[in-house]
Amino acid sequence: MKNIFKIVQKHSFLVLADQMIFSGSNFLLAFLLARKLSISGFGFFSSVLLITYLLVAVSNALIVQPFQILAAKEFGKKSLGFVFQAALLLLLIFALLIFSSAFLPFSVLTIFQHHIFSIIIFISAYILQDFLRKVLLITDKIKLVLIIDSIFLLVFPLIAIQENLSPGKSLMIIGWVNGIASIPGIYHIVRNSDLSIKNSALWKYHWNAGKWLVSASLLQWFSSNFFTLAAGIYLGASALGALRLVQSFFGVINIILQTVENYYIPKTAKLYYEDQESARKTLFKNMVQWMTALGIVIGLFFVFSQPLIALLGGEKYRQYGFVVRLISVLYLLIIYSYPTRISIRVLEQNKAFFTGYCISFLFSVLSFHFLLQFGGLYGAVGGLAMNQILMITYWKILLNKKKISLWT
């Protein structure tokens, strides 16, 4: 019994437990909302969530990511207090921008205008909770992060007991729960920091580091989500709801791919710079094996697409089974690209990595109108697939042109 207690107390176990709670709760919440809301209602919620992701990316780039390096160099109460107050200031700016959008004369914004206060509460609480989680992880307060993510689990019974759940009410419930979950983190920072935002050195540091990170974050967000967001505008909230439900399900595959990338990049880099070619080839064979296994699983998703989407979101989604098949093909392309993607990262072709996303985004901007107008959801997913093909092709051509190879 003592051994079990020691394992539970270990830092690595707590990190893993928290990641399982955090990822699992977000994953399951998407399916609960898909069942409780109408298809168009879930589409509306998804569009708000996509906008939230964009603002989270800006917050991370300006505040969290520079703080990650600063905390490693010279962590102190002043820097912790500064980032907390800077985050609150940024939240205020975001809230004012969202509120001002209610007065813009665009018909597409009408539904957002009707739920403006729910949206502000949801987005503000979501960004605050995300900021606190990441800052507390940076400062190694994993137990506190575990408490925050555990409190968030209250959202499930609160949503489950609602008989006629509306999109606005769902945003309000999630927003308030995120706000309550943030209280322990806020209390800890207020107690353990110097709350003074008048620090020109920190302002300068965060601006110099963050302005480039913001550019990269915005580009990556638009490259990844442009077609999805445009689908909601062109095809309506129901189409967006179906597309986001399937993307949420394939988020499990995303987590696996991210884990694999985080493992293979440092491992392969070490073998490459130690000139261990035979070990790299063995590693590549292992990668092909997991790619094949994952491909088989995705193939099963393709075959059983209609029962799968009905299981996830209910019978009302059965007609969108073809979206599962389309996303399955897209993810097979993504899996195929991973050896090339890892090569680009390990060989430090960072400019090419950035350029690949530039090409992807440019294609999205130039093609989205045609693809969505004439192809509907087929066009949306087809555009996402073309983004992958263009990036893979560019990276492969560049590696061949420079005559550099990682795996052979």
Side-chain angles (χ1 to χ4, degrees), residues 322-387:
F322 71 93
V323 181
V324 178
R325 295 194 293 272
L326 293 173
I327 298 292
S328 297
V329 174
L330 171 63
Y331 269 83
L332 290 175
L333 278 171
I334 292 173
I335 291 171
Y336 172 76
S337 74
Y338 254 69
T340 304
R341 182 185 181 89
I342 291 173
S343 294
I344 288 288
R345 294 288 304 279
V346 171
L347 297 171
E348 295 184 286
Q349 299 298 308
N350 296 328
K351 183 180 178 181
F353 191 74
F354 178 77
T355 305
Y357 276 103
C358 287
I359 293 170
S360 169
F361 174 63
L362 184 62
F363 171 79
S364 298
V365 172
L366 294 176
S367 64
F368 80 95
H369 177 74
F370 173 81
L371 289 173
L372 292 173
Q373 188 172 23
F374 295 101
L377 281 174
Y378 286 94
V381 182
L384 293 171
M386 281 301 300
N387 283 344

Side-chain angles (χ1 to χ4, degrees), residues 383-407:
L384 293 171
M386 281 301 300
N387 283 344
Q388 290 295 321
I389 292 170
L390 287 170
M391 281 194 293
I392 299 167
T393 303
Y394 170 72
W395 289 338
K396 282 183 175 291
I397 290 172
L398 183 130
L399 292 175
N400 289 333
K401 186 177 180 180
K402 291 191 175 185
K403 295 181 180 178
I404 50 178
S405 177
L406 180 63
W407 305 111

